[in-house]
């Protein structure tokens, strides 16, 4: 249990309100934090040790952004894929960093090293090793224009959004394809799909929902002088 005290010489300062604001700024729920006054006019705040420990990021199934997390994920990939034996670690990190910047996860990279974009496994053998084989496999996960294709997890999230929202069933299909008939989703399912889409955006972007909300609030109160 951690404890800190707040005091002020200004009697007009609401110390309990200040302590509550400080706790909320750290993302702590009010019921998880103890706040009370003592006889000396101080406010004591107690915080459980578990709240002070930042959880380790999920290196396997979440997008990574910091150089430290990317480095650790590449170490994991290098250790788990036997075809990377002898591959220069710096080359692997350079190739993988591009994928991580596109929102891929560690599991996505491992999948791409083991499978083609159509789901078929890559051929194996003693000659299927080294830096050139690494580059060849990842090159297949790019479009003809050089853009990085959606990863396995990104495609799954997109299909869930489309399926639950009841979007046109022929979306993305060739013109000569025959889509199956299916009903449009109910409003409740559409709202749930919209929530999935927002989570997907937050997952793959560094801009947080709090930042977006603050921007919306700010823009609504800006008053520009009339010319």
């Amino acid at each position: 249990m951690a404890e800190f005290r707040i005091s002020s010489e200004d009697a007009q300062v609401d110390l309990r309100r200040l302590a509550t604001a400080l706790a909320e700024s750290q993302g702590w729920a009010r019921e998880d934090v103890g706040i009370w006054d003592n006889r000396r006019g101080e406010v004591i705040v107690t915080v459980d040790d578990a709240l002070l420990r930042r959880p380790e990021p999920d290196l396997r199934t979440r997008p990574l952004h910091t150089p430290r997390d990317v480095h650790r994920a590449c170490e994991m990939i290098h250790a788990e894929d036997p075809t990377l034996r002898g591959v220069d670690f710096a080359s692997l990190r350079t190739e993988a960093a591009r994928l991580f910047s596109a929102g891929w996860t560690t599991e996505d990279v491992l999948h791409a090293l083991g499978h083609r974009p159509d789901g078929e496994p890559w051929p194996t053998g003693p000659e299927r090793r080294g830096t050139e084989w690494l580059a060849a496999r990842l090159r297949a996960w790019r479009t003809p224009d050089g853009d990085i294709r959606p990863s396995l997890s990104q495609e799954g999230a997109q299909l869930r959004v489309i399926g639950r929202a009841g979007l046109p069933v022929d979306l993305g299909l060739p013109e000569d394809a025959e889509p199956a008939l299916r009903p449009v989703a109910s409003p409740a399912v559409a709202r749930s799909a919209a929530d999935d889409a927002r989570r997907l955006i937050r997952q793959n972007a560094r801009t947080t929902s709090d930042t977006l909300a603050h921007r919306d609030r700010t823009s609504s109160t800006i008053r520009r002088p009339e010319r």
Side-chain angles (χ1 to χ4, degrees):
M1 182 74 69
E3 175 183 304
F4 63 90
R5 305 186 180 198
I6 302 176
S7 62
S8 175
E9 297 179 356
D10 188 348
Q12 301 299 318
V13 176
D14 188 337
L15 297 181
R16 292 184 63 88
R17 183 175 181 181
L18 176 60
T20 302
L22 288 173
E24 292 178 349
S25 70
Q26 298 301 314
W28 301 330
R30 177 62 185 85
E31 57 269 18
D32 295 334
V33 180
I35 301 177
W36 67 84
D37 305 300
N38 65 9
R39 295 179 179 178
R40 290 179 290 182
E42 300 172 328
V43 168
I44 301 176
V45 182
T46 56
V47 185
D48 191 270
D49 291 338
L51 293 178
L52 301 177
R53 299 191 192 99
R54 291 188 176 182
E56 288 291 323
D58 183 358
L59 296 179
R60 302 195 72 93
T61 61
R62 303 292 294 178
L64 309 174
H65 301 297
T66 67
R68 179 175 179 269
D69 289 343
V70 169
H71 184 91
R72 293 172 58 196
C74 289
E75 289 180 334
M76 185 184 302
I77 294 168
H78 193 270
E80 294 190 15
D81 192 328
T83 66
L84 299 178
R85 302 293 185 269
V87 173
D88 180 61
F89 184 79
S91 300
L92 170 62
R93 185 173 55 192
T94 300
E95 294 286 348
R98 298 189 181 100
L99 303 175
F100 288 129
S101 66
W104 284 39
T105 67
T106 303
E107 289 288 351
D108 290 331
V109 177
L110 287 168
H111 175 81
L113 293 176
H115 300 81
R116 302 176 187 270
D118 59 6
E120 292 295 320
W122 288 108
T124 59
E127 71 282 1
R128 308 287 184 177
R129 296 176 181 273
T131 304
E132 293 184 1
W133 180 232
L134 165 67
R137 285 177 289 173
L138 296 184
R139 196 180 306 121
W141 284 84
R142 290 180 175 270
T143 67
D145 297 331
D147 296 329
I148 298 174
R149 297 176 182 270
S151 67
L152 182 67
S153 66
Q154 289 172 333
E155 285 186 340
Q158 292 166 1
L159 289 175
R160 286 195 299 272
V161 171
I162 292 174
R164 295 175 65 182
L167 295 177
V169 295
D170 59 350
L171 186 67
L173 292 179
E175 293 183 0
D176 56 350
E178 291 292 337
L181 296 177
R182 58 179 299 180
V184 176
S186 66
V189 174
R191 285 193 297 270
S192 179
D195 291 339
D196 281 349
R198 282 190 289 271
R199 281 192 292 270
L200 181 63
I201 293 172
R202 287 197 298 269
Q203 173 179 317
N204 296 318
R206 300 189 184 187
T207 303
T208 65
S209 58
D210 291 339
T211 304
L212 295 175
H214 173 73
R215 187 179 65 185
D216 292 340
R217 290 196 303 269
T218 304
S219 62
S220 64
T221 57
I222 291 177
R223 296 292 182 268
R224 294 180 174 83
E226 296 182 0
R227 296 182 178 178

